[in-house]
Amino acid sequence: MTTLKLFGILFFCGLFSPSQGVLSGLSCAISPKAMEDVLSDAILRNGLLQQHLQGLVLPNIMGEGGALNSPTIISGLHLVKVRLPKLSVRLLSGIGIKMTISARLQLSGNCLIGLLPELIDIYVDVKITANIKCTSFESGTVQVIIEECLCILGTVKVKLLSGLLSLSINDVILAELTTTLPRVVCPVVDIVINHANIRLLGTLNAVIPVGKAGMIHYQLASLPFTSGLFLGMDLDGAVMQVGGSIIPHDSSPSALPPLLDNILVLTLRQSFINAVLALMIQIRPQTLPCTLESFSGARQLQEAMLVLIPSECSVCRGTSPVTIKITLLGHPVIILEDNKATVELSVLIQLSIKPLDGPIITLLLLKADLRLNVQVSITGGRLVLVLSLNSISLFLESSDVGITDIASLKPHFSSLMVEVLLPLLNGALSIGIPLPNVLGIPLIKVAIRI
């Protein structure tokens, strides 16, 4: 299962624990099982190990006392296939990862016994262990080094069509392979690990567009860290507007929840989400006539306004149409509580008329503070927020015609917000907040915790 947390939203696909680094918007913890699957995909199932080992040439093997009492020479010995490879992972607290690959290597070459050359196949069971450590962090990239690599041989089986090899040459083959295989296999494993590291880090260092408004640049903020239970990573989620300017957000460290039985846990900070909301919700002032075509409560609003307008304002009761202008004030702010998310947003609402023979008259200028419920879900690797109206508070800013009491207008402006503003907000948010494809682990069967 995958977990994602907004700080909080927490999305569970894995585990979490306090980070020693700086949390810049997004962190993740990965279970040993998930890390094992990730490395198995990158190294074994994608054929990376086979690709780099295949054709590997070993030194000639020479032995005495074949069936014809002639020297035995095995030459051109090369690796043909890696059979039945299996990878396991153990996390080393504070160090890195201990990776073990068990496999059967098929070697082929030419065997010369006396004057009789023929093909020889050697099957050798190996267990390769490597301690992998991340180091040299710079600009979101880490260097991966193997601190120790061991290649231990197990059973060796030799196939020769004539079957003329003696037991003594079997011992010679085992001795030679015990000496030479680790020397040639471990450097290849080092190359394979670095190739895998480049591929996997590519999933973390990614620039993902957020509609046409801008983009999020995800990358490592510090070196990964390990405990015996999880691999943890702090990511920097830099929120950038078109043109490259960055919307700042608080990046102070945060405590993270435990991994439980999950594969991956992603944690999004409240401040990071606010920066993304500021990027996504950029709605221009909306001007519309107060008619039924604009919203269903228009007639009731106009009737309520007529009651409030002083009788001496004759032009207010004329035929000039009422125009409504809605302007966002500042940026929306998400508030995260236990199992609950709300967005607070303020708008300026202006109701005005334009008489034929005079200047614009502002009947009402109101500030509306909205509290919006947030429904959170994951769709296509994106965090999708859907808003609905929880409450509205109205404050009178000014009135050119002397209106002072606006309490009776609250339900009408609630209707206006639901029918006009909320569709615009949800339309802007419908593209979702793109999330990083951490090490290629898909966000499926996601549990969300706030």
Side-chain angles (χ1 to χ4, degrees):
M1 180 177 286
T2 304
T3 305
L4 183 51
K5 180 172 184 179
L6 304 174
F7 241 113
I9 298 185
L10 181 62
F11 302 87
F12 285 94
C13 219
L15 162 67
F16 249 113
S17 181
S19 163
Q20 299 302 314
V22 174
L23 180 59
S24 302
L26 181 73
S27 280
C28 58
I30 301 169
S31 71
K33 178 62 170 65
M35 198 66 232
E36 192 171 283
D37 289 342
V38 164
L39 288 176
S40 290
D41 281 339
I43 295 174
L44 302 184
R45 287 189 275 273
N46 287 341
L48 192 61
L49 183 65
Q50 173 75 33
Q51 172 189 337
H52 284 81
L53 281 178
Q54 191 164 352
L56 194 67
V57 178
L58 277 71
N60 293 346
I61 299 175
M62 300 185 66
E64 299 288 342
L68 303 176
N69 291 320
S70 301
T72 302
I73 302 173
I74 301 174
S75 61
L77 197 60
H78 60 281
L79 194 141
V80 176
K81 191 169 185 179
V82 181
R83 296 181 175 274
L84 306 173
K86 185 178 180 182
L87 185 147
S88 61
V89 162
R90 184 160 63 90
L91 300 181
L92 306 175
S93 182
I95 299 174
I97 296 171
K98 186 182 189 70
M99 182 189 72
T100 301
I101 298 175
S102 300
R104 174 168 292 177
L105 304 183
Q106 179 184 346
L107 308 169
S108 290
N110 299 306
C111 182
L112 181 64
I113 303 176
L115 300 176
L116 302 175
E118 59 180 308
L119 296 177
I120 186 171
D121 288 317
I122 300 173
Y123 299 85
V124 53
D125 293 336
V126 296
K127 179 179 285 188
I128 306 164
T129 61
N131 290 345
I132 305 170
K133 184 177 181 180
C134 294
T135 183
S136 303
F137 175 80
E138 183 178 357
S139 301
T141 302
V142 297
Q143 180 86 27
V144 170
I145 61 172
I146 295 180
E147 290 195 321
E148 181 182 20
C149 178
L150 298 174
C151 180
I152 302 173
L153 275 61
T155 304
V156 176
K157 293 183 179 180
V158 179
K159 285 183 64 177
L160 196 64
L161 189 61
S162 64
L164 295 177
L165 282 179
S166 66
L167 291 177
S168 61
I169 198 64
N170 278 351
D171 294 337
V172 171
I173 291 173
L174 178 58
E176 286 293 325
L177 292 181
T178 300
T179 301
T180 58
L181 263 182
R183 289 207 303 260
V184 296
V185 168
C186 281
V188 171
V189 170
D190 185 61
I191 293 171
V192 167
I193 291 298
N194 277 284
H195 274 281
N197 176 54
I198 292 170
R199 290 186 187 180
L200 296 176
L201 280 183
T203 67
L204 304 177
N205 193 345
V207 177
I208 309 175
V210 184
K212 297 180 179 179
M215 59 199 68
I216 300 175
H217 183 189
Y218 291 113
Q219 66 178 147
L220 279 173
S222 61
L223 279 173
F225 56 94
T226 57
S227 73
L229 298 175
F230 67 91
L231 169 69
M233 290 179 287
D234 287 337
L235 303 184
D236 180 12
V239 182
M240 298 181 291
Q241 302 182 77
V242 172
S245 60
I246 295 177
I247 299 175
H249 63 274
D250 175 31
S251 58
S252 56
S254 297
L256 303 173
L259 184 61
L260 304 177
D261 296 325
N262 301 292
I263 295 171
L264 165 70
V265 176
L266 298 180
T267 298
L268 301 185
R269 289 175 52 79
Q270 177 173 290
S271 56
F272 170 73
I273 299 168
N274 279 328
V276 181
L277 290 181
L279 177 69
M280 298 174 73
I281 298 179
Q282 299 184 30
I283 299 174
R284 295 178 180 178
Q286 301 293 306
T287 302
L288 60 149
C290 186
T291 63
L292 287 176
E293 289 74 23
S294 299
F295 70 106
S296 62
R299 179 179 296 173
Q300 291 88 337
L301 175 59
Q302 293 191 67
E303 292 173 353
M305 288 287 297
L306 286 174
V307 174
L308 298 177
I309 294 173
S311 57
E312 57 267 23
C313 184
S314 57
V315 69
C316 301
R317 301 174 183 274
T319 58
S320 300
V322 176
T323 299
I324 301 175
K325 184 178 182 180
I326 303 171
T327 306
L328 296 187
L329 294 176
H331 296 300
V333 175
I334 194 165
I335 307 296
L336 300 171
E337 305 168 85
D338 285 347
N339 303 313
K340 181 181 180 183
T342 53
V343 163
E344 294 182 351
L345 178 65
S346 295
V347 298
L348 204 61
I349 307 173
Q350 181 182 22
L351 277 75
S352 60
I353 58 173
K354 177 63 173 72
L356 294 176
D357 56 351
I360 294 175
I361 298 174
T362 298
L363 303 177
L364 274 179
L365 183 61
L366 303 173
K367 177 174 175 283
D369 289 342
L370 308 178
R371 191 170 179 86
L372 308 172
N373 297 324
V374 183
Q375 180 182 341
V376 184
S377 62
I378 297 289
T379 302
R382 292 172 176 259
L383 177 66
V384 180
L385 310 179
V386 178
L387 308 179
S388 59
L389 183 64
N390 179 306
S391 64
I392 179 172
S393 300
L394 296 177
F395 303 92
L396 177 63
E397 297 289 311
S398 65
S399 171
D400 291 348
V401 298
I403 297 176
T404 58
D405 184 5
I406 58 173
S408 61
L409 300 178
K410 184 174 180 178
H412 308 299
F413 284 111
S414 293
S415 174
L416 175 67
M417 295 296 100
V418 169
E419 295 187 39
V420 176
L421 182 62
L422 275 176
L424 294 173
L425 295 175
N426 284 323
L429 294 174
S430 63
I431 58 175
I433 301 174
L435 300 172
N437 182 24
V438 177
L439 304 185
I441 300 173
L443 290 172
I444 56 175
K445 298 183 179 178
V446 177
I448 299 175
R449 191 168 87 206
I450 302 175

